[in-house]
Every structure is written in structure tokens, then in C-alpha cells.
Amino acid sequence: MTDRTETPSATRPPAPRDPLVLAIDLGTGGPKVALVGVRGAIVGHAKVPVGLVLVDGGGAEQDPAEWWSAVVAAARQVLGAHPERVDDVVAVGVTSQWFGTVAVDDAGDHLGPAVIWMDGRGARYVRRAVRGPVRIAGYDVRRLRAWLRRTGGIPSLTGKDPVGHIQFLRHERPDVYRDAATFLEPVDYLGLRLTGRAAASGASITGHWVTDNRDLARITYDDELVAWTGIDRHKLPELVTTNSVLGPLAPTAADALGLRSGVPVVAGSSDTASAGIGSGAVDDRQAHLYVGTSSWLSCHLPDKHTDLRTNVTALPSGMPHRYWMATEQESAGICLTWLADQVLFPSDELAGAEPPDDLFDRLNQVAAGVAPGARGVVFTPWLNGERTPVDDATIRGGFHHLSLTTRRADLVRAVFEGVAHNSRWMLAAAERFVGSPFESLRFVGGGAQSELWGQIMADVLDRPVHQVAEPVLANARGAAFAAAVATGHLRWDEIPALVPVTAIHHPDPSTRAVHDRTHAAFLDIYRRTKGIHRRLGRHPQEHP
């Protein structure tokens, strides 16, 4: 591959005695906890993995108690490594996976597993709730218009949002629904554990589709929308202002984490919102691309609208009085995990090999040895359905155009490129939504640790890709920036200059023809196979 990477000439030095934020980023794979200076310098960080339970029928659950234990363990690790900086912590910032549901009782204790963003078991109940005599795309026409105008979105027919989750609990775990005092997003559950206050911000509650978001200075519950979702109004959390101080760190939480009590805890936001802040792309229409377990491409916007055709909308952001473009692709980095666990190093009776500790580095090396185009192999990364630019819960992924000469290295390269082609599909919808091409993309998330993936993204998307420093901590950095602003230590307009870029990947024109050809095939595979996958998805033995 032609080297099209530019290394910026300078990055800012850290300020060693800046006030610090303890930033908590609860991802699907587990929490990352970081000590971050209020001007963005990472002092230290730790990650503790948590389990994921996939249930037949489209279920995906995690244990909130395990979340909290992992947060405590990670915080203890990072604070224990820097005991001289503990008293410099001036705030706690929180971000988390979004579109999940934790049912808690009056005492604030969770009533069972969290139902997370991958879970679609409530789909049939949502379809019943939103249908009407005159329908568009499965929705009652009048309700569809009202939802889009007031919230910017609609309950997903896939069931993969809190409306679907709560309906699932109501119908299939009625004791949990009955005993629930409040249903909380994962980020707001962490806020409860930290402060004792069960509340949501205007940004974190958006995915329940029950708030009127037309006036960002006054986001409120809409009683009619609440009634349409079938959620009991008294089971929804108190609303607080986006990026406000939720409360002081409670003594029990402080003791567990190793901090002093009373440190301000700032109301959290989703990982999608915090990544935009942590990438430095806080100006309107300045885009960032995130590749982690899932993937998204987003930017901040001054106004609100929705494109129902491509499942792209504008929602309240983690920055008060601003919207952000909401997109999501279900499976990105997790495709490499799947390849390693299920194809290259399966832990079953047919193979006993353990994946090497440097697996990700090896996958990069192997993929780099294959020419662009993966020798004709196309990978479609729809391992758990798709959301943007199609809301399709039954589509499934696969390798295409395999032959007897296909090598394992070709498969690895095809996965890297398949995720990039999916991002290109999303890019087309995002740029149409914004109304103009993006000049460049900030690249963050675990996938952005790969120089190779950065170049592949630049080549496939035909846009310069700016690889952000410490990209795996972009969410934590964003939560820290937001907390620093909320507590008066930083201004929003200072953030872009505080996020270093370690490399700029420019598109290689020599790869354009092969990637255009592959992308046309990629889109054609979806068009020609979606009906087949829909029929297979109706089979009673279909697994998530």
C-alpha cells in the first residue's frame, strides 16, 4: 500500500498539575476509568472487562452489579497508581453505552440484568404499540409525524431501544416491571450509584422517545408520547439539565472508589455524545468516526431534522443547546473479535489454540500483507442486524466470493475493509443529511488504534482521516471535558485545540477503482440478500 500518512509536527505537552477529572466510560466490553486533566491530558487509565450474555431470541444482557464492581476495580487501579493526585480530582464525569435499560426499585437496587442496546426481544410489543389504521413503514401516520417533530426519532421496530426493552419487561418479566420504581439508562444508573439520585439529563433520556426536544432550553416529558409508548409515567426518572452537576459524590461511593466524598458528579451522556466531544470535533458539521464494538459517524448541528429513509436524525447532544447527528452501525470492531473467537481460535472440541496476547497487532500485520480489495473477498459486517442507513434487524453478515485459493489472510483483510465499506454506506447518508461533504473525519475508538485501519478508512471513504491521540480513551476524555466545563474549569471553544492528532491518512488514488468496485458489490449484496435473511430470521431456531 502506498504510504499516504502525514504525521503532524507537534502536539501539546501535558500540564502535570492540572486539576483532574475521574472519567468513567462504561462500554459493552467493560468500563474504562481515567484520570484526565481538565485540559485533556491523560494521567492514567485502567480497564476491567465485564461479561455479555446473549440469549436465544435476540436477547443481550449484562449484570449491573458487575458493572459497578468493575468501575470500582478500575478506579482503584488508576487512583492507586497515582496516589499523589487523588486530592487534585475536582469532578467525576460519566459516559456509557446507550439505549440500555436498568430497572431499579425504591432503594435504588437493580431488579435483574440490564437489557442492553443489542437486545431486540421487545420488537413485537413495539409493533403493536405504534401501529394504526393508516400506516407508513409500520407506524401510525399521525403518531409518526408527532414523534419525529417533537423528539427527532421514533421507537425502533427492532425493539433495540428502551421502549422495546421496557415493553419486553412489562410482558415477559411482569414482576420486574411491577416492582420497578424507575427505569434508567446505563449512564444514569451509574449516576445513581455515584450520588444516590435517580435522574436523567435531556440528552441521556432522548432514546426513550418521550421528551419534547424542540426547545433545548426546556426539554420536558410529553404526556402524549409517554402514553403511546405504554410506559407508566411515574416510572420515568427525574429530568435534569444536560451537563449540569447531578450531585455530590456520596460517602459510600467515595469510599468504594478511593476519593473524598462531596466531589461534584456531572450528569452523564451517551458514548456517542461524549466521543464527539472527546474527538475535538465540537464545531458544527465537524465529523468524527468511531469504531469500537459498534460504529457511528456523527457531528454537532445547530438545528433539528430527521431523515426517516436512512434512519439518521438530530438529537440533543452532550453540549447544552446543541444537537448532534445520530447514526449507528451495529457491528464493527466486534467483527474482528468474532473472527478471532469463532474462526481463527475457536475454543471448542475442534481446536484448542489460544489467541495470542498481541492478537490485534497480528491481525493488523496479516491484513497489511494483502493488497487492497482482499483478493476479491467481500465481508458484510451485519452480524447483529443493522441500523444506519437501514433499520434491518434480520440482515446477517458473511464472507462472499470465496474460492479454493482464498487464504486466512484474505479473510482478515476483508473484515477490515468490510467495516470500512459499511462506514462508507453510512457516510453517504450522513453527508446527505448534513447537506455537504465532510472535509475530513476525526477517527476515534479502539479501532482507531490501527494505523492500517485509518488508511483503509481514508481510501474506502475517500476522505482524509485524522487519527486522534489515545483514541480508545476518546469517550473518557469527552466525559472529562464535559465535567470540566460543568464545573467552570474549561470552555467549549477551547476543546478543539486540546485534542492532539497523531496521524493524518490521505486517500490513496491508486486504490480508488478497486474500492469503488467492491463497494458497488457490497451494496448489491444487501439488496439481493435482505429478503433471504428476512425469511431465515423467521425460523424459530434463529439465534442472535
Side-chain angles (χ1 to χ4, degrees), residues 132-151:
V134 180
R135 280 174 274 183
I136 294 178
Y139 297 90
D140 175 84
V141 172
R142 185 178 72 86
R143 294 185 179 188
L144 176 64
R145 187 181 302 114
W147 257 312
L148 294 179
R149 186 175 68 253
R150 299 177 203 172
T151 73

Side-chain angles (χ1 to χ4, degrees), residues 4-354:
R4 307 285 297 180
T5 301
E6 170 191 343
T7 302
S9 58
T11 60
R12 62 180 176 82
R17 299 306 298 185
D18 271 351
L20 300 179
V21 175
L22 185 74
I24 301 169
D25 169 24
L26 175 62
T28 309
K32 303 177 190 73
V33 177
L35 275 175
V36 187
V38 294
R39 301 190 67 79
I42 307 293
V43 173
H45 61 91
K47 179 179 179 178
V48 175
V50 298
L52 169 65
V53 178
L54 298 179
V55 182
D56 288 355
E61 299 179 344
Q62 292 187 305
D63 182 359
E66 187 180 5
W67 285 348
W68 180 247
S69 295
V71 166
V72 169
R76 284 283 181 176
Q77 285 183 38
V78 71
L79 291 169
H82 302 277
E84 77 285 357
R85 302 301 309 272
V86 172
D87 288 339
D88 294 333
V89 175
V90 296
V92 177
V94 189
T95 186
S96 176
Q97 55 173 286
W98 201 26
F99 273 32
T101 301
V102 184
V104 299
D105 62 17
D106 286 320
D109 296 323
H110 63 279
L111 294 169
V115 185
I116 71 165
W117 58 275
M118 302 168 70
D119 194 301
R121 288 175 292 179
R124 65 179 179 272
Y125 306 117
V126 175
R127 288 194 290 269
R128 293 176 194 168
V130 302
R131 65 190 178 190
V134 180
R135 280 174 274 183
I136 294 178
Y139 297 90
D140 175 84
V141 172
R142 185 178 72 86
R143 294 185 179 188
L144 176 64
R145 187 181 302 114
W147 257 312
L148 294 179
R149 186 175 68 253
R150 299 177 203 172
T151 73
I154 47 178
S156 174
L157 297 179
T158 67
K160 295 179 180 180
D161 62 22
V163 176
H165 302 160
I166 295 170
Q167 286 293 337
F168 164 74
L169 294 174
R170 181 172 209 158
H171 288 87
E172 300 192 27
R173 296 179 183 171
D175 54 333
V176 172
Y177 186 89
R178 181 196 64 228
D179 295 341
T182 313
F183 295 107
L184 296 172
E185 279 277 355
V187 70
D188 298 322
Y189 172 76
L190 291 183
L192 171 63
R193 293 301 301 255
L194 292 164
T195 67
R197 186 179 184 185
S201 72
S204 69
I205 198 66
T206 299
H208 286 65
W209 313 122
V210 291
T211 51
D212 190 329
N213 303 324
R214 288 173 290 184
D215 181 357
L216 290 177
R218 189 177 175 273
I219 295 175
T220 59
Y221 286 121
D222 184 299
D223 289 339
E224 187 171 44
L225 300 183
V226 172
W228 289 348
T229 63
I231 302 172
D232 288 316
R233 171 65 179 81
H234 67 275
K235 294 180 182 289
L236 292 170
E238 169 194 4
L239 289 184
V240 299
T241 303
T242 296
N243 206 52
S244 61
V245 174
L246 181 65
L249 184 64
T252 53
D255 288 344
L257 297 172
L259 286 176
R260 67 185 185 280
S261 62
V263 174
V265 177
V266 175
S269 61
S270 67
D271 50 7
T272 48
S274 61
I277 297 169
S279 73
V282 298
D283 294 334
D284 286 343
R285 300 180 179 85
Q286 184 181 11
H288 79 274
L289 172 65
Y290 178 96
V291 173
T293 301
S294 60
S295 177
W296 61 78
L297 195 159
S298 183
C299 66
H300 290 93
L301 296 168
D303 50 23
K304 174 178 140 342
H305 60 292
T306 299
D307 185 348
L308 190 60
R309 299 167 299 171
T310 57
N311 207 30
V312 182
T313 189
L315 300 175
S317 80
M319 300 171 63
H321 314 302
R322 299 278 292 286
Y323 293 97
W324 61 279
M325 178 177 63
T327 65
E328 186 189 358
Q329 294 185 327
E330 283 276 295
S331 304
I334 201 172
C335 295
L336 282 178
T337 304
W338 169 84
L339 179 71
D341 292 348
Q342 303 301 329
V343 180
L344 302 179
F345 302 98
S347 57
D348 56 28
E349 64 276 9
L350 297 178
E354 290 291 328

Side-chain angles (χ1 to χ4, degrees), residues 285-478:
R285 300 180 179 85
Q286 184 181 11
H288 79 274
L289 172 65
Y290 178 96
V291 173
T293 301
S294 60
S295 177
W296 61 78
L297 195 159
S298 183
C299 66
H300 290 93
L301 296 168
D303 50 23
K304 174 178 140 342
H305 60 292
T306 299
D307 185 348
L308 190 60
R309 299 167 299 171
T310 57
N311 207 30
V312 182
T313 189
L315 300 175
S317 80
M319 300 171 63
H321 314 302
R322 299 278 292 286
Y323 293 97
W324 61 279
M325 178 177 63
T327 65
E328 186 189 358
Q329 294 185 327
E330 283 276 295
S331 304
I334 201 172
C335 295
L336 282 178
T337 304
W338 169 84
L339 179 71
D341 292 348
Q342 303 301 329
V343 180
L344 302 179
F345 302 98
S347 57
D348 56 28
E349 64 276 9
L350 297 178
E354 290 291 328
D357 293 336
D358 60 348
L359 174 63
F360 190 59
D361 291 336
R362 291 197 186 191
L363 293 175
N364 274 269
Q365 292 169 9
V366 167
V370 179
R375 298 179 69 240
V377 179
V378 179
F379 175 72
T380 52
W382 311 313
L383 300 183
N384 195 48
E386 197 48 279
R387 294 187 191 233
T388 305
V390 292
D391 193 16
D392 189 338
T394 59
I395 191 68
R396 288 295 181 266
F399 289 102
H400 307 268
H401 199 60
L402 302 180
S403 74
L404 291 176
T405 63
T406 298
R407 307 166 306 186
R408 283 189 296 179
D410 303 330
L411 302 182
V412 176
R413 175 80 187 204
V415 171
F416 278 91
E417 291 191 356
V419 173
H421 281 287
N422 216 38
S423 297
R424 178 170 167 176
W425 197 19
M426 179 167 54
L427 175 69
E431 290 185 335
R432 183 164 54 247
F433 185 83
V434 172
S436 61
F438 295 120
E439 293 183 2
S440 62
L441 304 170
R442 290 280 182 117
F443 191 28
V444 294
Q449 298 174 99
S450 167
E451 292 277 341
L452 174 68
W453 223 342
Q455 187 61 51
I456 288 173
M457 286 292 183
D459 293 342
V460 172
L461 275 59
D462 195 28
R463 301 288 184 276
V465 170
H466 293 225
Q467 199 161 357
V468 169
E470 299 164 305
V472 74
L473 296 174
N475 298 354
R477 184 191 286 118

